Amino acid sequence: MKIAVCVSHVPDTATKIKIGNDAKSIDPTDVTYILNPYDEFAIEEALKTKEKLGGEVVVISLGEETNKESIRKALAMGADNGILLKDSGIRDSLSLSKALAEEIKSQGAQLVFMGKQAVDYDNSITGQLTAEFLGYNCVSVVVNLQIDGENIIAEREVEGGKEVVETSIPAIITCQKGLNEPRYASLKGIMAAKKKVIEEKNAMVFENKSEVLQMNKPLGKQAGKIIGNDSSAVPELVRLLKEEAKVI
Amino acid sequence: MPNKILVVLEQRDNNIKKISNEVSKAGFELSQKINCEVEAVIIGGEINDLSKIGNFGIGKVTHLKNIELTKYSSSAYTKSIVEIINEINANIILVGNTSLGKDLAPRIAARLDAGIAVDVIKIETSENNIVATRPVYAGKALIDVKINSEKKVFTLRPNVFNPGESIENNAEIIVKEISSPDLSSKVIEVKKSEGKLDVAEASIIVSGGRGMKEPANFKLVEELAEVLNAAVGASRAVVDAGWRPHSEQVGQTGKTVSPNLYIALGISGAIQHLAGMRSSKCIVAINKDEDAPIFQIADYGIAGDIFEVVPALIAELKK
Ligand SMILES: Cc1cc2nc3c(=O)[nH]c(=O)nc-3n(C[C@H](O)[C@H](O)[C@H](O)COP(=O)(O)OP(=O)(O)OC[C@H]3O[C@@H](n4cnc5c(N)ncnc54)[C@H](O)[C@@H]3O)c2cc1C
Ligand SMILES: Nc1ncnc2c1ncn2[C@@H]1O[C@H](COP(=O)(O)O)[C@@H](O)[C@H]1O
């Protein structure tokens, strides 16, 4: 079976965000880009599935030349092939998902893994959208997965517990922390990945349905007051919570 | 075509969730601003007190009924809601940004080929446009988004839109049976975590970090949570150490929360932790290091030892 993994290339979570000159996006200067943390779970699950069921793992990323770094990381972990869907314009999630769906279709991948969320725009919707465009089933925020022939039993994290979902292939699974422990790339893997050719194609273009008008810094929360350094401050704290903040 | 808002309500175990009141009220207020109709839809078997959604500005609610759909089914929910949207000609769809809403809303958007903005914290109108504000980069920036398609889908962050005082009002209920739902994807079981309040839904959260020293000391966090009727949260450091389950983790790779009160015990306030809780309405930090970054966003802080301060706090609250 052909398995696809979609990965995004995002600012490191420790990055300080500066707003760019266009006032609509961030200033990329001095920003370190990494493989989206949730996509590591997606790659690991794809590799585990291939080890069990056989097949081939293809990694797809839509974006600029630099996205190849994240594709290479996936190759170093053990993925078989990488595809860069070249794109430098502004794309909303709908247009992104349509382009990913086209590529997944042309690859003939019946099982697709994505991260539950890309930590740039924190949308958490690409998997679900892409599945709809493909007519695939989809389970999001998965922390446990069993595949038996065509059948899928997946546990997804919800408020106050987990939902056990029954569905079937073809499907997209979006991966949450807890699903697995992503492997480290071996030295041999890293060397092999360097030699692999990443296929490049232009991403298909679709109309955007939404646009960013403006990006702003959140209103800075003012540091409050330190009201003491031991338990003698407790009565005052409780009074403030009751009378000033009115939260208890 | 005139505007029409559809609010997607959510039930769990047949009870309407609090987020539904918030989304209803937000929908009602938006309908007043842009001068259009608003109604609601809900899927489930029997639903308790459904007409009370009228208290939050909803005059009419369609109940898509099937006992098998008490639990979520992405395929059946998507299909049925899209049918209603087309039937009543709604063009603005509001959904709660919950586990269910996050899964469902993008599917609806895809079927309608509609633009979507998720995790919205503010909806404004200007010159006939709806502008939604939402956090990105883990809350380190905000964007104003405009959707250009005729149909528009928004998910609203829980505990941000104020449902206000409930005004005694009963909504009209229209029941429609769903005869043969598409169950190609369905929830067959819900595994509840031992009857505890979830951080994503709690209005008060008490979180513990590495400063708790060892897992057994979390009984102090639990005790404080109990007197406040709060949920227990945790930093990633203690989740990775296996002291606490991942479901309690707050932060960039955990849950995003915005409770009325967030109490951080022995948490330094790393940027990834702040990402998950900075929009809390009131933040209290107790940490023995007065330079800990958590104090920069705390409303009130005690720069002291948890093991000395927290027992006193519990005692004071029990008074
Ligand atoms: C990609 C990525 C994602 C991440 N996601 C998350 C996330 O989702 N959530 C998250 O929380 N972190 C996340 N982190 C980790 C984050 O960077 C920090 O390492 C983590 O939050 C630290 O946890 P902590 O505050 O409990 O521990 P520490 O930073 O070790 O802080 C412990 C604090 O306890 C105080 N203390 C110690 N003893 C006492 C005492 N007796 N009384 C009072 N105070 C005391 C200390 O002064 C200190 O400030 C992420 C990191 C990365 C790289
Ligand atoms: N540009 C992209 N190229 C390939 N996959 C992507 C891209 N953006 C997002 N994804 C996938 O979609 C998931 C969820 O992203 P999002 O919906 O943006 O939060 C990510 O974890 C990736 O697996």
Side-chain angles (χ1 to χ4, degrees):
Chain A
M1 183 170 49
K2 195 145 188 188
I3 302 169
V5 187
C6 298
V7 300
S8 56
H9 194 58
V10 297
D12 188 336
T13 55
T15 307
K16 290 224 158 59
I17 296 295
K18 271 194 288 183
I19 310 240
N21 288 332
D22 64 353
K24 290 183 183 184
S25 59
I26 61 164
D27 177 356
T29 340
D30 300 333
V31 175
T32 314
Y33 283 79
I34 57 164
L35 170 64
N36 180 41
Y38 292 105
D39 299 352
E40 293 188 21
F41 303 116
I43 298 164
E44 177 62 32
E45 203 59 25
L47 296 175
K48 271 172 59 181
T49 307
K50 174 189 152 177
E51 283 156 12
K52 222 164 79 195
L53 307 176
E56 182 191 334
V57 174
V58 57
V59 185
I60 304 167
S61 189
L62 184 148
E64 304 191 36
E65 191 65 25
T66 44
N67 283 41
K68 281 186 179 168
E69 291 165 28
S70 285
I71 298 177
R72 275 207 207 282
K73 182 157 180 198
L75 293 173
M77 284 170 74
D80 299 292
N81 294 303
I83 297 171
L84 174 68
L85 299 175
K86 280 197 289 186
D87 185 59
S88 52
I90 294 170
R91 229 177 235 271
D92 68 6
S93 298
L94 256 86
S95 153
L96 164 71
S97 302
K98 286 174 186 169
L100 292 176
E102 287 299 331
E103 185 57 32
I104 291 164
K105 209 187 299 167
S106 79
Q107 291 290 328
Q110 297 289 297
L111 187 59
V112 183
F113 292 97
M114 299 201 194
K116 76 134 191 178
Q117 173 178 356
V119 303
D120 47 10
Y121 275 63
D122 298 327
N123 275 311
S124 308
I125 58 179
T126 306
Q128 299 91 304
L129 288 170
T130 309
E132 280 291 329
F133 293 131
L134 285 164
Y136 283 17
N137 293 312
C138 174
V139 191
S140 60
V141 201
V142 170
V143 290
N144 196 344
L145 181 68
Q146 257 133 38
I147 300 174
D148 182 8
E150 297 283 289
N151 298 327
I152 295 178
I153 301 280
E155 286 184 21
R156 66 186 297 262
E157 203 175 78
V158 298
E159 298 91 354
K162 286 170 195 155
E163 285 178 347
V164 185
V165 180
E166 187 180 73
T167 189
S168 58
I169 288 172
I172 295 185
I173 303 292
T174 83
C175 305
Q176 162 71 318
K177 180 178 173 176
L179 177 60
N180 54 42
E181 275 303 325
R183 66 195 64 184
Y184 288 101
S186 64
L187 196 59
K188 199 168 135 238
I190 295 170
M191 296 314 286
K194 275 195 184 141
K195 285 196 215 114
K196 276 196 185 139
V197 179
I198 295 173
E199 191 185 339
E200 294 183 33
K201 340 181 163 173
N202 289 324
M204 279 178 78
V205 178
F206 297 91
E207 188 194 4
N208 283 337
K209 304 282 177 181
S210 62
E211 65 178 298
V212 175
L213 300 177
Q214 209 175 9
M215 180 180 276
N216 295 300
K217 276 290 206 189
L219 288 179
K221 210 172 153 47
Q222 295 225 333
K225 44 191 165 192
I226 293 195
I227 52 186
N229 51 24
D230 59 23
S231 58
S232 65
V234 163
E236 174 64 1
L237 174 64
V238 173
R239 186 192 70 78
L240 287 166
L241 291 176
K242 282 187 176 148
E243 292 169 19
E244 194 175 85
K246 298 194 174 68
V247 286
I248 57 173
Chain B
M1 195 186 89
N3 285 317
K4 186 168 198 175
I5 301 172
L6 181 69
V7 172
V8 179
L9 307 176
E10 195 180 322
Q11 51 84 19
R12 184 193 293 160
D13 300 334
N14 302 330
N15 296 315
I16 298 179
K17 291 180 66 174
K18 180 169 147 271
I19 178 74
S20 297
N21 302 341
E22 298 167 13
V23 182
S24 293
K25 194 55 169 282
F28 170 71
E29 283 174 356
L30 181 62
S31 75
Q32 301 281 80
K33 273 196 231 161
I34 59 176
N35 195 14
C36 74
E37 284 179 57
V38 56
E39 55 182 272
V41 63
I42 190 162
I43 300 186
E46 297 303 326
I47 296 170
N48 302 323
D49 295 330
L50 180 53
S51 67
K52 286 203 179 140
I53 202 66
N55 297 356
F56 303 96
I58 298 295
K60 187 167 131 191
V61 50
T62 305
H63 174 182
L64 301 174
K65 195 167 179 182
N66 186 310
I67 197 79
E68 284 195 89
L69 298 179
T70 302
K71 293 200 198 82
Y72 182 51
S73 154
S74 54
S75 45
Y77 274 50
T78 305
K79 183 162 180 280
S80 309
I81 288 180
V82 167
E83 276 169 12
I84 280 290
I85 291 168
N86 289 330
E87 189 182 312
I88 68 166
N89 251 320
N91 65 326
I92 299 169
I93 323 299
L94 303 182
V95 188
N97 195 50
T98 57
S99 297
L100 187 150
K102 285 188 222 182
D103 190 76
L104 179 63
R107 291 162 196 269
I108 296 174
R111 294 257 174 119
L112 300 171
D113 204 18
I116 173 169
V118 299
D119 203 19
V120 169
I121 58 170
K122 194 168 83 183
I123 299 183
E124 304 251 281
T125 51
S126 78
E127 302 158 29
N128 284 325
N129 278 325
I130 299 172
V131 178
T133 303
R134 54 167 303 235
V136 291
Y137 295 98
K140 289 180 227 168
L142 299 175
I143 51 173
D144 290 344
V145 188
K146 178 171 152 250
I147 296 179
N148 296 320
S149 49
E150 205 264 317
K151 292 196 191 299
K152 306 168 176 35
V153 179
F154 301 94
T155 73
L156 310 191
R157 179 179 282 201
N159 212 22
V160 169
F161 292 85
N162 187 351
E165 297 287 308
S166 69
I167 306 149
E168 204 48 48
N169 220 334
N170 284 333
E172 174 198 351
I173 302 173
I174 298 156
V175 179
K176 289 201 171 126
E177 299 281 343
I178 304 179
S179 47
S180 44
D182 171 5
L183 295 173
S184 48
S185 202
K186 66 165 192 242
V187 173
I188 51 172
E189 186 193 344
V190 180
K191 296 183 175 171
K192 293 204 173 131
S193 29
E194 323 90 59
K196 280 193 206 127
L197 207 53
D198 192 276
V199 284
E201 297 189 314
S203 49
I204 303 183
I205 297 170
V206 183
S207 283
R210 189 144 41 197
M212 295 310 301
K213 296 277 188 297
E214 50 179 292
N217 292 337
F218 262 82
K219 69 175 189 303
L220 209 54
V221 181
E222 284 167 354
E223 232 178 284
L224 179 57
E226 200 179 310
V227 284
L228 289 167
N229 192 20
V232 172
S235 71
R236 172 163 159 184
V238 301
V239 170
D240 282 357
W243 299 2
R244 304 301 298 180
H246 180 252
S247 58
E248 290 180 2
Q249 184 179 321
V250 172
Q252 188 151 17
T253 44
K255 287 180 179 151
T256 304
V257 299
S258 48
N260 297 332
L261 173 61
Y262 188 90
I263 303 182
L265 305 176
I267 292 179
S268 58
I271 192 157
Q272 298 94 347
H273 188 80
L274 302 187
M277 45 65 76
R278 68 198 311 151
S279 64
S280 304
K281 292 185 188 79
C282 177
I283 298 170
V284 171
I286 302 175
N287 191 310
K288 67 178 180 191
D289 172 11
E290 62 176 353
D291 294 324
I294 190 81
F295 286 122
Q296 314 243 298
I297 65 153
D299 298 275
Y300 308 115
I302 296 181
D305 184 354
I306 323 162
F307 301 104
E308 195 253 342
V309 177
V310 177
L313 181 56
I314 293 168
E316 180 76 17
L317 288 167
K318 278 189 178 160
K319 269 189 195 165

